[in-house]
Coordinates of all heavy atoms in Angstrom, one line a residue:
A684 N -49.8 38.0 -3.5 CA -49.8 38.5 -4.9 C -49.0 39.7 -5.1 O -48.2 39.8 -6.1 CB -51.2 38.9 -5.3
F685 N -49.0 40.6 -4.0 CA -48.1 41.8 -4.2 C -46.6 41.3 -4.1 O -45.8 41.8 -4.9 CB -48.3 42.8 -3.2 CG -47.3 43.9 -2.9 CD1 -47.5 45.0 -3.7 CD2 -46.4 43.8 -2.0 CE1 -46.6 46.0 -3.7 CE2 -45.3 44.8 -2.0 CZ -45.5 46.0 -2.7
V686 N -46.3 40.5 -3.2 CA -45.0 40.0 -3.1 C -44.4 39.3 -4.3 O -43.2 39.6 -4.8 CB -44.8 39.1 -1.8 CG1 -43.4 38.6 -1.7 CG2 -45.2 39.8 -0.5
G687 N -45.2 38.5 -4.9 CA -44.8 37.8 -6.1 C -44.6 38.7 -7.2 O -43.7 38.6 -7.9
T688 N -45.5 39.6 -7.3 CA -45.4 40.8 -8.3 C -44.1 41.6 -8.2 O -43.3 41.9 -9.1 CB -46.5 41.7 -8.4 OG1 -47.8 40.7 -8.6 CG2 -46.5 42.7 -9.6
L689 N -43.8 41.9 -6.9 CA -42.7 42.7 -6.5 C -41.3 42.0 -7.0 O -40.4 42.5 -7.6 CB -42.6 43.0 -5.0 CG -41.3 43.7 -4.4 CD1 -41.0 45.0 -5.2 CD2 -41.3 43.7 -3.0
F690 N -41.3 40.6 -6.7 CA -40.2 39.9 -7.0 C -39.9 39.9 -8.5 O -38.7 40.0 -8.9 CB -40.3 38.4 -6.6 CG -40.3 38.1 -5.1 CD1 -40.5 37.0 -4.6 CD2 -39.9 39.3 -4.3 CE1 -40.4 36.7 -3.2 CE2 -39.7 39.0 -3.0 CZ -40.0 37.8 -2.3
L691 N -41.0 39.7 -9.4 CA -40.8 39.9 -10.7 C -40.4 41.2 -11.2 O -39.5 41.4 -12.2 CB -42.1 39.4 -11.4 CG -42.1 38.9 -12.9 CD1 -41.1 37.8 -13.1 CD2 -43.4 38.5 -13.3
V692 N -41.0 42.4 -10.8 CA -40.8 43.6 -11.3 C -39.3 44.0 -11.0 O -38.6 44.6 -11.8 CB -41.7 44.6 -10.7 CG1 -41.4 46.1 -10.9 CG2 -43.2 44.5 -11.2
A693 N -38.8 43.5 -9.7 CA -37.4 43.9 -9.3 C -36.3 43.4 -10.3 O -35.3 43.9 -10.6 CB -37.2 43.5 -8.0
R694 N -36.8 42.2 -11.0 CA -35.8 41.6 -11.9 C -35.8 42.4 -13.2 O -34.8 42.3 -13.9 CB -36.3 40.2 -12.1 CG -36.2 39.2 -10.9 CD -34.8 39.2 -10.3 NE -34.3 40.1 -9.6 CZ -34.6 40.5 -8.2 NH1 -35.5 39.5 -7.6 NH2 -34.2 41.5 -7.7
G695 N -36.8 43.1 -13.6 CA -36.7 44.1 -14.7 C -35.7 45.2 -14.5 O -35.0 45.5 -15.5
V696 N -35.5 45.5 -13.2 CA -34.4 46.5 -12.9 C -33.1 45.8 -13.1 O -32.0 46.3 -13.6 CB -34.6 47.1 -11.4 CG1 -33.5 47.9 -11.1 CG2 -35.9 47.7 -11.4
D697 N -33.1 44.5 -12.6 CA -31.7 43.7 -12.7 C -31.3 43.4 -14.0 O -30.1 43.4 -14.4 CB -31.8 42.5 -11.9 CG -31.9 42.7 -10.4 OD1 -31.4 43.7 -9.9 OD2 -32.7 41.9 -9.6
A698 N -32.2 43.4 -14.9 CA -32.0 43.0 -16.3 C -31.2 44.2 -17.0 O -30.3 44.0 -17.9 CB -33.3 42.8 -17.2
V699 N -31.3 45.4 -16.4 CA -30.4 46.6 -16.8 C -29.2 46.7 -16.1 O -28.2 46.8 -16.5 CB -31.3 47.9 -16.8 CG1 -30.4 49.0 -17.2 CG2 -32.5 47.7 -17.7
T700 N -29.3 46.6 -14.7 CA -28.2 46.9 -13.8 C -27.2 45.7 -13.8 O -25.9 46.0 -13.5 CB -28.7 47.2 -12.4 OG1 -29.3 46.1 -11.9 CG2 -29.6 48.4 -12.3
D701 N -27.5 44.6 -14.0 CA -26.5 43.4 -13.9 C -25.5 43.5 -15.0 O -24.3 43.3 -14.8 CB -27.2 42.1 -13.8 CG -27.9 41.7 -12.5 OD1 -27.9 42.7 -11.7 OD2 -28.3 40.7 -12.4
P702 N -25.9 43.7 -16.3 CA -24.9 43.8 -17.4 C -24.1 45.2 -17.2 O -23.0 45.1 -17.5 CB -25.8 43.9 -18.7 CG -27.0 43.2 -18.4 CD -27.3 43.5 -16.8
M703 N -24.8 46.1 -16.7 CA -24.0 47.4 -16.5 C -22.9 47.2 -15.4 O -21.7 47.8 -15.6 CB -25.0 48.6 -16.0 CG -25.9 48.9 -17.2 SD -27.1 50.4 -16.5 CE -26.0 51.6 -16.1
M704 N -23.2 46.5 -14.4 CA -22.3 46.2 -13.4 C -21.0 45.3 -13.9 O -19.9 45.5 -13.6 CB -22.8 45.5 -12.3 CG -21.8 45.4 -11.1 SD -21.4 47.0 -10.3 CE -19.7 46.7 -9.8
G705 N -21.4 44.3 -14.9 CA -20.4 43.6 -15.5 C -19.5 44.5 -16.3 O -18.2 44.4 -16.3
L706 N -20.1 45.6 -17.1 CA -19.3 46.5 -17.8 C -18.4 47.3 -16.9 O -17.2 47.5 -17.2 CB -20.3 47.4 -18.5 CG -19.8 48.5 -19.3 CD1 -18.9 48.0 -20.5 CD2 -20.8 49.5 -19.7
V707 N -18.8 47.7 -15.7 CA -18.1 48.5 -14.9 C -17.1 47.6 -14.4 O -15.7 48.2 -14.3 CB -18.9 49.0 -13.6 CG1 -18.2 49.5 -12.6 CG2 -20.0 50.1 -14.0
V708 N -17.2 46.4 -13.9 CA -16.0 45.6 -13.6 C -15.1 45.3 -14.5 O -13.8 45.5 -14.2 CB -16.6 44.3 -12.9 CG1 -15.5 43.4 -12.4 CG2 -17.7 44.5 -11.7
D709 N -15.5 45.1 -15.8 CA -14.5 44.8 -16.7 C -13.6 46.0 -17.1 O -12.7 45.9 -17.8 CB -15.2 44.1 -18.0 CG -15.3 42.6 -17.8 OD1 -14.6 42.0 -17.3 OD2 -16.3 42.1 -18.4
N710 N -14.2 47.2 -16.9 CA -13.4 48.4 -17.2 C -12.6 49.0 -15.9 O -12.0 50.0 -16.1 CB -14.4 49.5 -17.6 CG -15.0 49.4 -19.0 OD1 -14.3 48.7 -19.7 ND2 -16.1 49.9 -19.4
T711 N -12.7 48.2 -14.9 CA -11.9 48.6 -13.7 C -10.5 48.2 -13.9 O -10.1 47.1 -14.2 CB -12.6 47.9 -12.5 OG1 -13.9 48.3 -12.3 CG2 -11.7 48.3 -11.2
R712 N -9.6 49.2 -13.5 CA -8.2 49.0 -13.5 C -7.7 49.5 -12.1 O -7.8 50.7 -11.9 CB -7.4 49.7 -14.6 CG -8.1 49.4 -16.1 CD -7.7 48.1 -16.6 NE -8.1 48.0 -18.0 CZ -9.2 47.4 -18.3 NH1 -10.1 46.9 -17.3 NH2 -9.6 47.2 -19.6
S713 N -7.2 48.6 -11.4 CA -6.6 49.1 -10.1 C -5.6 48.1 -9.6 O -5.4 47.1 -10.2 CB -7.7 49.1 -9.0 OG -7.9 47.8 -8.5
R714 N -4.7 48.6 -8.6 CA -3.6 47.7 -8.1 C -4.1 46.5 -7.4 O -3.3 45.6 -7.1 CB -2.6 48.5 -7.3 CG -3.1 49.1 -5.9 CD -2.3 50.0 -5.3 NE -2.7 50.4 -4.0 CZ -2.2 49.9 -2.8 NH1 -1.4 49.0 -2.8 NH2 -2.7 50.3 -1.7
F715 N -5.3 46.5 -7.1 CA -6.0 45.3 -6.5 C -6.8 44.4 -7.5 O -7.4 43.5 -7.1 CB -7.1 45.8 -5.4 CG -6.4 46.5 -4.3 CD1 -6.7 48.0 -4.2 CD2 -5.5 46.0 -3.4 CE1 -6.2 48.7 -3.2 CE2 -5.0 46.7 -2.4 CZ -5.2 48.1 -2.3
G716 N -6.6 44.7 -8.8 CA -7.3 43.9 -9.8 C -8.6 44.6 -10.0 O -9.1 45.7 -9.5
K717 N -9.5 43.9 -10.8 CA -10.8 44.6 -11.1 C -11.9 44.0 -10.4 O -13.0 44.4 -10.4 CB -11.0 44.4 -12.8 CG -11.0 43.1 -13.2 CD -11.3 43.1 -14.8 CE -11.5 41.6 -15.4 NZ -11.7 41.7 -16.8
F718 N -11.7 42.9 -9.7 CA -12.8 42.2 -9.0 C -12.7 42.4 -7.4 O -13.9 42.7 -7.0 CB -12.6 40.6 -9.2 CG -12.5 40.1 -10.6 CD1 -11.4 39.6 -11.1 CD2 -13.4 40.3 -11.5 CE1 -11.2 39.1 -12.5 CE2 -13.5 39.8 -12.6 CZ -12.4 39.2 -13.2
R719 N -11.7 42.4 -6.9 CA -11.8 42.4 -5.3 C -12.1 43.7 -4.8 O -13.0 43.7 -3.8 CB -10.3 42.2 -4.8 CG -9.9 40.6 -5.1 CD -8.6 40.4 -4.4 NE -7.5 41.1 -5.2 CZ -6.4 41.5 -4.6 NH1 -6.2 41.4 -3.3 NH2 -5.5 42.2 -5.4
P720 N -12.0 44.9 -5.4 CA -12.5 46.1 -4.8 C -13.9 46.2 -4.7 O -14.6 46.6 -3.8 CB -12.0 47.2 -5.6 CG -10.6 46.7 -6.3 CD -11.0 45.1 -6.5
W721 N -14.6 45.7 -6.0 CA -16.1 45.7 -6.0 C -16.7 44.7 -5.1 O -17.8 44.8 -4.5 CB -16.5 45.4 -7.5 CG -16.2 46.6 -8.3 CD1 -15.3 46.7 -9.3 CD2 -16.8 47.9 -8.2 NE1 -15.3 47.8 -9.9 CE2 -16.2 48.6 -9.3 CE3 -17.8 48.4 -7.4 CZ2 -16.5 50.1 -9.5 CZ3 -18.1 49.8 -7.6 CH2 -17.5 50.5 -8.6
I722 N -16.0 43.5 -4.7 CA -16.5 42.6 -3.8 C -16.6 43.3 -2.4 O -17.8 43.0 -1.7 CB -15.5 41.4 -3.7 CG1 -15.6 40.6 -4.9 CG2 -15.9 40.5 -2.5 CD1 -14.6 39.4 -5.1
V723 N -15.7 44.0 -1.9 CA -15.8 44.6 -0.7 C -16.9 45.8 -0.7 O -17.7 45.9 0.3 CB -14.4 45.3 -0.3 CG1 -14.6 46.1 1.0 CG2 -13.4 44.2 -0.1
I724 N -16.8 46.6 -1.7 CA -17.8 47.7 -1.8 C -19.2 47.2 -1.8 O -20.2 47.5 -1.0 CB -17.6 48.5 -3.0 CG1 -16.1 49.3 -2.9 CG2 -18.6 49.5 -3.3 CD1 -15.7 50.0 -4.2
G725 N -19.4 46.1 -2.6 CA -20.7 45.5 -2.7 C -21.1 44.9 -1.5 O -22.3 44.9 -1.1
T726 N -20.3 44.2 -0.7 CA -20.7 43.6 0.5 C -21.0 44.6 1.6 O -22.1 44.4 2.3 CB -19.5 42.8 1.1 OG1 -19.1 41.8 0.2 CG2 -19.8 42.3 2.4

């Protein structure tokens, strides 16, 4: 029951952070483009 609840609560955090990360990526300007730097950092 704790694990199932944890999985659900964590997605409440993602509901905020996922669109924010999309905003960060779309505002990124670099000589490597806006996607690839974040792929490496995130990995």
Side-chain angles (χ1 to χ4, degrees):
F685 171 83
V686 176
T688 303
L689 171 61
F690 286 174
L691 197 58
V692 170
R694 299 295 77 84
V696 176
D697 293 331
V699 176
T700 59
D701 285 10
M703 287 180 63
M704 189 61 213
L706 176 66
V707 170
V708 173
D709 274 332
N710 283 334
T711 297
R712 307 287 185 265
S713 82
R714 67 190 184 96
F715 300 109
K717 65 182 182 180
F718 305 115
R719 292 181 294 147
W721 290 112
I722 291 174
V723 174
I724 294 170
T726 296

